[in-house]
Amino acid sequence: MDVSVYQEQEPTASIGDAGEGFPKKDSAAVLSFLRDSQESVHLRGVQDAALVYLIGKGLNTVRKPMLLIAPTDREAEQYFEIASFFVGKDSQRLDAPLARKVWYFPSRTAHKAQSLGKMEATARRLETLYAIRTAASPIVVVTSAMALLECLAPPEILVKHVEYKVRGEIIDLEVFCRQLIDRGYYPVSLVEEYGDLSRRGGVLDIYAPMYRWPLRLEFFGDELESIRPFHPSTQRSLGVLEDVVLLPASEIILDAEARARAQDAVYRDVGEGVLTPAAGNVWLERIQEGYQNGAFESVLPVFYEKTATLLDYLDPRTILFWSDANQSRMEMAENYWQMGRDRAENPSANEWQKSPTELFEDPERVHEIGKRFQQVWVNALIEPSEAPKILELGATSHSALGLAVRSHQNKERLLEPLAHQFHKWQEDGILSFLVCQQKEQARRLAELLMGYDLEVLYSGLPFGQESYESPAVKVLVGPSLKGFLWPAERLAVVSEEEIFGRRSRRVSRKAVSGVFLNSFQDLHLGDFVVHVDHGIGIYKELVHLNVRDIESDFLLLEYQDADRLYVPVDKLAKVQKYLGIEGHEPRVDKLGGKSWETAKKKARESAERIAQEILNLYAQRQVNEGFRFSPPDTFFQEFEATFAYEETPDQVRAIADVLEDMGSAQPMDRLICGDVGYGKTEVAIRAAFKAIMDGKQVAMLVPTTVLAEQHYQTLFERFNGFPVTVAALSRFKTPSQQKQVLKELERGTIDMVIGTHRLLQKDVSFRDLGLIIVDEEHRFGVKHKENLKKLRVSVDVLTLSATPIPRTLHMALSGIRDMSVIETAPEDRHSIDTFLCKYDELTIQEAIYRELHRGGQVFFVHNHVVSIYQMAAKLNQLAPAARVAVAHGQMNERDLEKVMLDFIHRKVDVLVCTTIIESGLDIPAANTIIINRADKFGLAQIYQLRGRVGR
């Protein structure tokens, strides 16, 4: 039956209208109940971020460990970020990795659905399991429903294979390295990711779970002389540690007992016909060699006498919070059934895989085990047999407050509704917090809000460490979250995305950037490198030397006649990997010789020749005066604030370069060069907005109709709420629609037009064209370039390209043409794994099912229209559960538009297409691309196609 645990209490002070209609109950009563009782309850009236705030507050009062369970890994990752924000991040301490209070346990099965890579996900799992068993004070663990089902190594096995090492300890390095390899560490020449191990004499580099940076253990004989974290790119030391805790790098410990148990299982399965003898021999070799990196996940139970689940690791006092119990139950049941079905539909005697009943715990069994703990079902459907008590909190979704900023058709101030609400909350005595995802955005909004007669405080301190006494609006940096109003707590939290709309999170990379540092991780022994002062040499090794009583690491380069050059790590900016014609070995230079100076002289002469070719065009541009655009104003800053990501340092420089060029009397002609997905389009959008606000029209030229349509959707969204009219001109438009666009362009009622080659035809005229943006210049021919040259004499031109044509690039590098390079990738953009293999239907089938299992989409590039439908039919047979569609350039415009929109809206799982998707297409959910007959594509095409995924 429904029982109210606590009676309603009147608030101690009036909070005005903000409190009307809400239960007047603070969190203290609920936390007291959880502290003093072992009963499971339903909790009502608390949503998302407010729930995490309650859990974080309870750490200091309830004094019990807490497990927050989200339905999916993606939601769990978001909850973890919010929990870290409210509880506070103290995990950056190099000397106390176990000091943090919030831990994340991702699902092993769905790791690719997160921003984590495979090895990092494994590291997060292992360190969380260890923290659960060893934490000195209560902690919060965030996980997903799927993670509760997965079978794990028994707790005693994990703890047994954790190494604690102290500086000055005597260690047999040979035995120690063998133990680490048995525990999942992989020997490499240079450590790059979790689980890597590199030994050079008495120096052992290891990238272990629980540590943000890899560790360098230096030995003098058998004595552990020093322990230093270091940056993997620069190789520079980041401090000194007195001790270190080394967890296994894999959930499977390949000691002698585990190997023997697994070998017996192989013999048994071969005897029963589950495995073929040939496949059995392969697995016996893997087990003997210790082949890791997820190779044994499908047979994890054979290595242990019994397995465990996450619930077996928990302290009996742990409180389980189900953020959405009903959805979590459905996710567990559906995934368990799906894995059983996949196993039944794809049996193979060549692949060794245990059944789902051995790899995963039955969902009903998990719920039974959960009854051992105190459980809290948040906003779930009432099941009286499970939870007879109900707790209610006075928290409401922030969306009910009507703070969303909608379209404004004139230049009124867009933050005025938000400022008005903040004023009202201050009058009611409610503390207000504005949470932004990035520091730059937080500072920007703090400055803008001050212009509305608001007292605003920007602080770099985490939530909870800022003084609550001041009534000022506190602008903090935190994760993406859904804001809430909690009158009884006198607390209001507003998130940035509630103002400007929700977009995927992206932050700038904090790692050191540069040509060398981006390539250093790819260096191998024997690679050719280029030193700025000495020319081409051969990379030999990274050595540790003592020079004049100063120890440091050096890069050893070899030149002609076996001459050696030692480059200290603090001079790495002078060295970069040699990039030349594939299969062609360059001539190594001689130290102190003239060959390198001669090569540089030839390059300068080549630049001079090209400069002569374009002298007339640029002389005209110098003589003709272009339009001088005004400096950025407050309205431009408010538009910048609607960008939901933090600009990378290179983006900031590129935007500043473009605005400076536009403010000059000389017409701009700038190339923005950057990798796919690095933010070139946002630079162009800022330039377009500045031109439009100064009364000029903008034309954006793109190579394909699909890209034109997507750019149109992006710009329409970015300019929403501002007095900007955007139109598209391509074959997706009917002749009558095209005529209407042309008329409005000539009258000046359209501010910006996005189009294909259609924009270069004679019937296109503008009322007052001020800026041309060319996306992917290398896709346009000589005739189109000539048309553009005529416009460049007096109109500002901005060119975007990830793979500029050699002439354009040569001009830019020679300083003849202005260029801004964006080489700093967003931190959340991970490198793309590329595999080259023969056509194999089983590989294709596995790739499709892996992507579908994590909720993603697949591009299948088949650049032959005649047989594309047969290929789509074949894929339908290989993956019957997938929704397959076809897209190519010869389709009817309306049909092509419908297919592309269906794919964007996730109504299609696998898109079989030609190279029509090559340029600019941005589908965040598509993270797998299969390119059929890749040998028939050019380098630029392959590079562009590869950039369609991982965005």
Side-chain angles (χ1 to χ4, degrees), residues 431-724:
L431 293 173
S432 303
F433 293 85
L434 174 58
V435 182
C436 300
Q437 295 184 48
Q438 309 301 339
K439 290 182 180 178
E440 187 63 33
Q441 181 76 330
R443 293 192 186 97
R444 183 184 293 152
L445 285 178
E447 292 176 1
L448 291 172
L449 286 172
M450 289 178 185
Y452 293 88
D453 297 326
L454 267 175
E455 185 180 354
V456 182
L457 177 63
Y458 167 74
S459 172
L461 296 175
F463 184 91
Q465 296 185 22
E466 180 58 66
S467 171
Y468 281 16
E469 301 299 324
S470 170
V473 176
K474 299 166 184 65
V475 184
L476 306 177
V477 178
S480 170
L481 54 82
K482 183 181 291 185
F484 60 90
L485 171 64
W486 199 333
E489 288 284 306
R490 299 186 178 280
L491 178 67
V493 176
V494 182
S495 72
E496 167 195 353
E497 67 183 29
E498 291 175 291
I499 308 169
F500 302 117
R502 185 178 181 85
R503 297 182 180 88
S504 58
R505 180 171 179 247
R506 186 174 73 184
V507 294
S508 64
R509 172 173 290 181
K510 300 298 186 290
V512 183
S513 64
V515 173
F516 174 82
L517 297 179
N518 287 341
S519 305
F520 182 59
Q521 296 179 357
D522 298 327
L523 275 183
H524 302 286
L525 299 182
D527 281 353
F528 291 98
V529 295
V530 181
H531 191 285
V532 172
D533 299 324
H534 303 288
I536 300 174
I538 302 173
Y539 168 64
K540 286 300 183 181
E541 61 178 327
L542 187 69
V543 296
H544 188 79
L545 299 178
N546 188 317
V547 181
R548 296 179 182 177
D549 297 327
I550 298 176
E551 292 191 3
S552 184
D553 292 320
F554 294 82
L555 204 67
L556 174 57
L557 308 183
E558 186 175 280
Y559 286 82
Q560 270 189 35
D561 304 326
D563 290 344
R564 294 188 167 195
L565 177 68
Y566 292 89
V567 182
V569 292
D570 59 346
K571 301 294 183 183
L572 293 184
K574 289 196 169 188
V575 183
Q576 70 182 62
K577 190 174 180 179
Y578 173 81
L579 302 175
I581 301 173
E582 186 175 354
H584 171 72
E585 288 193 1
R587 183 172 178 270
V588 176
D589 289 306
K590 181 175 178 60
L591 279 180
K594 296 182 179 180
S595 59
W596 180 239
E597 289 300 325
T598 302
K600 290 195 290 185
K601 181 181 178 182
K602 287 183 178 179
R604 285 193 295 269
E605 291 174 350
S606 176
E608 290 173 2
R609 285 196 302 271
I610 293 178
Q612 291 294 326
E613 294 177 11
I614 58 172
L615 179 61
N616 292 335
L617 173 63
Y618 280 84
Q620 283 184 287
R621 290 176 58 80
Q622 291 288 343
V623 173
N624 293 352
E625 184 171 342
F627 183 82
R628 189 190 295 267
F629 291 94
S630 64
D633 54 11
T634 305
F635 192 56
F636 183 83
Q637 292 173 355
E638 290 199 1
F639 175 73
E640 288 184 313
T642 63
F643 186 52
Y645 317 130
E646 180 182 3
E647 300 88 346
T648 64
D650 289 344
Q651 261 186 311
V652 172
R653 284 192 292 271
I655 292 168
D657 291 342
V658 170
L659 293 177
E660 183 179 353
D661 286 353
M662 293 177 71
S664 169
Q666 181 182 345
M668 174 176 68
D669 190 6
R670 180 169 291 274
L671 168 67
I672 306 295
C673 186
D675 207 345
V676 178
Y678 278 33
K680 301 186 296 295
T681 304
E682 178 60 24
V683 178
I685 290 174
R686 303 279 177 95
F689 186 80
K690 167 45 55 186
I692 294 167
M693 290 302 102
D694 281 8
K696 292 288 184 177
Q697 289 176 295
V698 179
M700 187 173 193
L701 186 63
V702 298
T704 66
T705 53
V706 174
L707 182 55
E709 198 64 23
Q710 186 166 47
H711 271 323
Y712 171 73
Q713 296 296 334
T714 301
L715 290 162
F716 184 83
E717 179 185 342
R718 285 288 281 118
F719 291 140
N720 187 27
F722 294 89
V724 176

Side-chain angles (χ1 to χ4, degrees), residues 706-778:
V706 174
L707 182 55
E709 198 64 23
Q710 186 166 47
H711 271 323
Y712 171 73
Q713 296 296 334
T714 301
L715 290 162
F716 184 83
E717 179 185 342
R718 285 288 281 118
F719 291 140
N720 187 27
F722 294 89
V724 176
T725 304
V726 183
L729 190 62
S730 70
R731 65 186 180 92
F732 277 162
K733 304 297 182 184
T734 64
S736 60
Q737 289 175 328
Q738 292 187 30
K739 285 183 180 179
Q740 183 63 29
V741 170
L742 294 176
K743 286 180 181 178
E744 294 184 9
L745 272 178
E746 193 170 2
R747 287 201 301 262
T749 54
I750 289 179
D751 299 309
M752 182 172 184
V753 61
I754 304 102
T756 57
H757 308 76
R758 178 73 177 84
L759 280 179
L760 300 176
Q761 294 179 7
K762 295 180 179 179
D763 62 339
V764 179
S765 61
F766 297 84
R767 181 176 179 274
D768 191 4
L769 181 63
L771 174 65
I772 297 175
I773 301 169
V774 184
D775 196 9
E776 302 300 342
E777 185 187 33
H778 69 280

Side-chain angles (χ1 to χ4, degrees), residues 124 312 338 490 640 737 742 851 909:
R124 296 289 86 84
D312 294 317
Q338 180 69 40
R490 299 186 178 280
E640 288 184 313
Q737 289 175 328
L742 294 176
E851 186 62 49
D909 299 316

Side-chain angles (χ1 to χ4, degrees), residues 266-494:
V266 172
Y267 290 128
R268 183 173 60 252
D269 284 355
V270 170
E272 296 175 357
V274 177
L275 270 178
T276 64
N281 288 331
V282 171
W283 280 100
L284 288 173
E285 291 177 5
R286 288 181 176 181
I287 293 169
Q288 190 59 39
E289 294 172 3
Y291 181 76
Q292 282 285 310
N293 195 21
F296 300 132
E297 284 184 359
S298 61
V299 291
L300 181 144
V302 306
F303 294 93
Y304 302 112
E305 185 176 350
K306 63 176 183 178
T307 57
T309 65
L310 178 61
L311 296 180
D312 294 317
Y313 278 77
L314 300 180
D315 186 307
R317 300 176 302 123
T318 303
I319 303 175
L320 309 187
F321 284 83
W322 297 84
S323 68
D324 190 334
N326 304 303
Q327 186 62 32
S328 296
R329 187 182 291 263
M330 289 174 57
E331 286 284 338
M332 285 192 286
E334 183 177 338
N335 285 321
Y336 190 73
W337 173 83
Q338 180 69 40
M339 287 181 291
R341 192 193 73 167
D342 291 347
R343 174 66 171 164
E345 290 180 351
N346 301 289
S348 173
N350 294 315
E351 290 296 328
W352 197 28
Q353 183 174 358
K354 292 288 129 181
S355 67
T357 56
E358 296 175 271
L359 293 168
F360 302 92
E361 189 64 81
D362 184 271
E364 293 304 319
R365 173 67 177 155
V366 170
H367 289 300
E368 285 299 316
I369 298 174
K371 292 180 180 179
R372 302 174 189 171
F373 304 92
Q374 185 178 15
Q375 300 186 77
V376 178
W377 291 278
V378 181
N379 301 327
L381 296 176
I382 300 298
E383 297 184 29
S385 61
E386 292 183 345
K389 296 188 180 296
I390 300 174
L391 304 181
E392 292 187 350
L393 288 179
T396 183
S397 170
H398 197 58
S399 60
L401 301 176
L403 292 184
V405 178
R406 298 304 179 191
S407 175
H408 290 255
Q409 298 304 319
N410 48 51
K411 291 188 178 183
E412 65 174 309
R413 300 189 297 175
L414 298 179
L415 297 180
E416 194 163 2
L418 178 64
H420 175 74
Q421 186 64 65
F422 279 140
H423 275 298
K424 191 172 187 302
W425 282 335
Q426 286 181 340
E427 294 170 1
D428 293 338
I430 294 178
L431 293 173
S432 303
F433 293 85
L434 174 58
V435 182
C436 300
Q437 295 184 48
Q438 309 301 339
K439 290 182 180 178
E440 187 63 33
Q441 181 76 330
R443 293 192 186 97
R444 183 184 293 152
L445 285 178
E447 292 176 1
L448 291 172
L449 286 172
M450 289 178 185
Y452 293 88
D453 297 326
L454 267 175
E455 185 180 354
V456 182
L457 177 63
Y458 167 74
S459 172
L461 296 175
F463 184 91
Q465 296 185 22
E466 180 58 66
S467 171
Y468 281 16
E469 301 299 324
S470 170
V473 176
K474 299 166 184 65
V475 184
L476 306 177
V477 178
S480 170
L481 54 82
K482 183 181 291 185
F484 60 90
L485 171 64
W486 199 333
E489 288 284 306
R490 299 186 178 280
L491 178 67
V493 176
V494 182

Side-chain angles (χ1 to χ4, degrees), residues 163-167 169 171 176 224 227 242-244 246:
E163 293 283 352
Y164 176 68
K165 300 299 181 185
V166 183
R167 193 163 67 90
E169 184 177 348
I171 300 171
F176 184 46
L224 178 55
I227 306 170
E242 291 297 318
D243 55 10
V244 63
L246 298 177

